[in-house]
Amino acid sequence: MTSAASPHLTGGLNTLVIRGRVDADRAELSPRGELVHGCADVLARTLAELPAGVTRVELDMADVHFMDTAGLQFLDVLGDFRRRRSLTVTVTNWNGQPRRILELAGLDTADPLAGPDTSGPGASGTGTTGPALTTSAVALERAERLHVLQEEVEQLRQAIASRPVIDQARGILMATHGCTSDQAWHILRETSQLSNTKLRDVAAAVTASAEGDGPAPPAELRTALQRAIARRNRG
């Protein structure tokens, strides 16, 4: 049993693949890849293929290494399936960035299908802190958490897109100035701070200037780069 998604949106070649096996009344599913656009459809197809006699579904998320807000739709599909079929469903072994997204969304990483914690004042439904107000507060908190995680996912995507040019710039500095990879990284970062220029733009300027007919970095950036290299040499 294997289902796969279309290529993801972060620029790589990985797809979401869900491999599974059924042992008596238990289904073991192992998603691999990324929970991005299309992942909920892949899960829905996988769940639809499960035999009618299955009473327990276990998902091992150890091989899922990236997740954006589409991963919450993945969980919604799983939760709906659990309710319709009245099954026991576990989703375990969240690691790295996907685990961070669950935390930002206010979900229990040990049992994300349980939803956000609605316990506390207002849960009893008495007075002005009744169910409607509690539900509204939970929805507002969830919306705020989703906004934060969307920003974090976008920052991660930008970092992924910027990595090749930054790696190239580090290599150029290492070859030109005889420094280590870590020292080259500190030079780039300090140049970015001194010139108030984005790190990606600093790296792009260094890379472009290394080409035979490439343009020299702007004067302010060039001065900042020279200062950063001088500090490294003094250190």
Side-chain angles (χ1 to χ4, degrees):
M1 177 195 303
T2 303
S3 295
S6 57
H8 61 72
L9 301 181
T10 55
L13 299 175
N14 291 337
T15 58
L16 176 67
V17 174
I18 302 179
R19 302 188 182 279
R21 61 185 294 269
V22 176
D23 181 9
D25 62 347
R26 184 179 68 177
E28 300 176 358
L29 304 180
S30 301
R32 178 187 297 270
E34 303 182 350
L35 298 187
V36 292
H37 179 71
C39 65
D41 295 334
V42 177
L43 176 63
R45 290 197 299 269
T46 302
L47 296 175
E49 295 174 357
L50 294 178
V54 167
T55 61
R56 182 179 182 85
V57 179
E58 301 174 356
L59 280 80
D60 184 345
M61 309 301 291
D63 290 327
V64 172
H65 53 81
F66 183 87
M67 167 180 170
D68 63 13
T69 52
L72 303 182
Q73 298 173 0
F74 180 96
L75 293 175
D76 286 341
V77 168
L78 193 57
D80 288 342
F81 178 79
R82 180 180 65 173
R83 288 188 290 272
R84 290 198 315 270
R85 295 276 295 267
S86 299
L87 304 177
T88 299
V89 179
T90 60
V91 195
T92 59
N93 292 332
W94 295 90
N95 299 303
Q97 187 266 354
R99 183 183 182 91
R100 170 66 173 160
I101 294 300
L102 292 183
E103 292 171 346
L104 287 172
L107 299 177
D108 184 350
T109 56
D111 185 15
L113 297 183
D117 183 7
T118 59
S119 61
S124 62
T126 59
T128 58
T129 57
L133 184 58
T134 299
T135 301
S136 176
V138 169
L140 179 60
E141 182 180 0
R142 183 179 177 87
E144 291 174 348
R145 288 178 180 273
L146 286 176
H147 177 69
V148 172
L149 73 88
Q150 285 170 342
E151 289 183 341
E152 182 158 313
V153 167
E154 183 58 31
Q155 290 172 2
L156 180 58
R157 282 181 169 159
Q158 291 177 3
I160 291 172
S162 301
R163 182 170 179 174
V165 69
I166 292 175
D167 285 346
Q168 290 178 32
R170 289 169 73 175
I172 291 169
L173 291 175
M174 291 167 63
T176 305
H177 300 284
C179 58
T180 66
S181 178
D182 285 344
Q183 289 171 335
W185 165 253
H186 287 299
I187 290 172
L188 289 173
R189 189 174 64 178
E190 186 170 355
T191 301
S192 172
Q193 295 170 348
L194 290 173
S195 63
N196 194 27
T197 304
K198 291 182 179 179
L199 182 62
R200 180 179 179 4
D201 293 338
V202 172
V206 170
T207 302
S209 66
E211 299 177 359
D213 55 352
E220 183 179 4
L221 196 154
R222 188 166 60 250
T223 299
L225 181 60
Q226 291 170 348
R227 288 176 59 189
I229 293 172
R231 288 185 182 180
R232 174 258 166 184
N233 291 335
R234 289 197 299 268

